[in-house]
Amino acid sequence: MPPAQAPVDLPDLQPIGGRPFGLYVHVPFCITRCGYCDFNTYTPAELGGVNPDAWLAALGRELGLAAARLGRPTVDTVFVGGGTPSLLGGPRLAALLDMVRETFTLAPGAEVSTEANPESTWPEFFDTIRAAGYTRVSLGMQSVAPRVLGVLDRVHTPNRSADAAREALAAGFDHVSLDLIYGTPGETDDDLLRSVDTAVATGVDHVSAYALTVEEGTALARRVRLGELTAPDNDVLAHRYELVDARLTDAGMNWYEVSNWCRPGGECRHNVGYWDGGQWWGAGPGAHGYVGATRWWNVKHPNAYAELLDDARLPVAGFEQLEDDALHTEDVMLKTRLRQGLPLGRLSPDERGRAETVVADGLLVPEGDRLVLTPRGRLLADAVVRALLD
């Protein structure tokens, strides 16, 4: 049992009008821990057993306190992430959404998403959550190459993710996403292209592709440190990104954020809210929220989370008030990653001068009153942001 958590109270939260408001729910459960993952997740062995019903009850208490604190705002998007939300099963995910409706006001046409692991889904699961009101499913595919899945410690079989995507589409979901990881040690160009082609062939309208990163404290980091695996090479990662982008573009999916491609209308509205100035409440162990100029984060351990809520206290571990400079930096950093581009009006005169140099270097291109990353600029997006701000 973790030590008792000292209470941390949030300051008054004043949502900024006219901006989208989202709700993120973190499900902290996984059957196994993938070797590359450093998310706040727990296996049954780590918790001494999993009690999803107790977690769901605690979540309901947090949602009630959150709605009271904010004055029951209208929610434009809901995203259930993790962890492995599909481990809850369809009925519990339906109950979770019912709790959201009881405490917040869902906007007409709200986007309601959940992540899912292919091995913990089946046709009845998708039928249940679709009937409950979920509108979008994001499935972790990672790769169809068995050796790549083995290095990543993924438990699903190579074909299961594609089958799950087809089952979600058959259940009536208009928006289904598959997530890929590229740059895994031992992966070849052909491995990656077969994964992309398999994703496209399912008929999904959205694909995310992320470069593998070696996070400290993970099993992957230990294997790299011991010399069992070679860390991803930056030049290889850039080449693989270009392969993904070319293949998805040819298939009719266009990038709308550096790591995300979709068919027209397939953008994940919740994630666009993160990148484009939206606000959200983060519920669940370790979840982060952001309202007005306040960012906060919950206690990580599910037991400590539940104990605070049993005492009718928000499970907040800490918060920060963002000053104007920090808000500006985040605004530039996030908007630069979007296909819609960074509005020139968001830049100071000095920054606009630096932007001219970045344009001359071929990393940004003006489009009306915005600056948009070029294909090469997308490979160097972090460097572009530094060049604009430094």
Side-chain angles (χ1 to χ4, degrees):
M1 175 72 72
Q5 173 73 45
V8 174
D9 194 23
L10 287 174
D12 288 339
L13 301 176
Q14 299 295 329
I16 300 173
R19 295 189 183 182
F21 189 89
L23 176 65
Y24 173 76
V25 176
H26 186 72
V27 180
F29 308 127
C30 283
I31 290 295
T32 61
R33 184 178 301 282
C34 297
Y36 61 92
C37 179
D38 70 338
F39 293 166
N40 185 48
T41 61
Y42 302 84
T43 65
E46 290 169 335
L47 288 176
V50 172
N51 188 339
D53 291 315
W55 169 84
L56 194 61
L59 176 71
R61 291 191 286 274
E62 183 183 2
L63 293 176
L65 292 172
R69 175 64 69 96
L70 296 174
R72 194 183 172 98
T74 298
V75 174
D76 301 291
T77 62
V78 178
F79 194 101
V80 184
T84 310
S86 49
L87 284 179
L88 297 176
R92 288 195 187 93
L93 282 174
L96 187 160
L97 187 53
D98 284 340
M99 292 192 307
V100 171
R101 292 191 181 99
E102 290 167 4
T103 49
F104 290 85
T105 301
L106 275 184
E111 177 191 83
V112 183
S113 309
T114 185
E115 293 179 335
N117 186 304
E119 288 295 332
S120 54
T121 63
W122 55 95
E124 293 79 11
F125 167 84
F126 292 117
D127 289 339
T128 299
I129 64 172
R130 183 71 189 96
Y134 286 80
T135 66
R136 186 182 194 95
V137 174
S138 178
L139 291 156
M141 182 182 208
Q142 319 314 348
S143 177
V144 298
R147 63 174 172 269
V148 173
L149 294 174
V151 172
L152 296 174
D153 295 323
R154 295 290 293 183
V155 297
H156 65 79
T157 55
N159 296 325
R160 177 56 202 152
S161 50
D163 291 342
R166 294 187 181 97
E167 291 166 3
L169 291 168
F173 281 94
D174 294 324
H175 303 299
V176 180
S177 179
L178 286 167
D179 293 352
L180 300 174
I181 288 178
Y182 59 89
T184 300
E187 177 193 61
T188 65
D189 287 356
D190 184 62
D191 290 333
L192 177 59
L193 290 175
R194 285 192 295 111
S195 300
V196 175
D197 290 344
T198 299
V200 170
T202 64
V204 299
D205 68 338
H206 190 285
V207 171
S208 299
Y210 303 102
L212 179 66
T213 55
V214 180
E215 303 288 355
E216 284 302 318
T218 63
L220 177 63
R222 289 191 293 274
R223 295 184 69 186
V224 169
R225 187 169 60 251
L226 292 171
E228 297 176 12
L229 297 172
T230 302
D233 177 83
N234 286 336
D235 290 337
V236 171
L237 293 177
H239 171 63
R240 297 272 162 79
Y241 179 89
E242 291 173 333
L243 291 178
V244 171
D245 183 53
R247 205 69 147 206
L248 291 176
T249 300
D250 287 346
M253 290 190 183
N254 296 314
W255 77 283
Y256 71 96
E257 191 274 340
V258 169
S259 299
N260 292 271
W261 293 257
C262 70
R263 302 190 191 281
E267 297 87 349
C268 178
R269 288 163 46 197
H270 184 85
N271 287 342
V272 170
Y274 291 151
W275 301 316
D276 199 27
Q279 304 168 101
W280 66 94
W281 187 282
H288 287 228
Y290 177 56
V291 173
T294 303
R295 178 189 289 119
W296 71 94
W297 46 95
N298 282 349
V299 297
K300 288 187 173 183
H301 199 282
N303 293 340
Y305 170 81
E307 285 181 357
L308 286 169
L309 287 160
D310 285 344
D311 291 337
R313 301 202 305 258
L314 284 171
V316 176
F319 69 90
E320 60 180 338
Q321 297 284 75
L322 298 181
E323 302 295 335
D324 288 345
D325 286 348
L327 290 169
H328 176 69
T329 295
E330 291 201 356
D331 188 49
V332 172
M333 177 180 67
L334 296 173
K335 284 185 169 57
T336 298
R337 296 180 62 88
L338 291 169
R339 174 62 183 86
Q340 68 191 39
L342 171 68
L344 274 168
R346 300 297 182 102
L347 298 178
S348 70
D350 286 344
E351 290 166 347
R352 285 196 290 272
R354 290 193 286 272
E356 292 178 3
T357 300
V358 180
V359 169
D361 289 339
L363 302 179
L364 287 172
V365 60
E367 291 189 6
D369 63 350
R370 293 173 179 263
L371 296 171
V372 177
L373 290 168
T374 64
R376 192 164 72 90
R378 279 186 271 158
L379 298 173
L380 301 168
D382 291 341
V384 169
V385 171
R386 289 193 298 271
L388 293 174
L389 294 173
D390 292 345

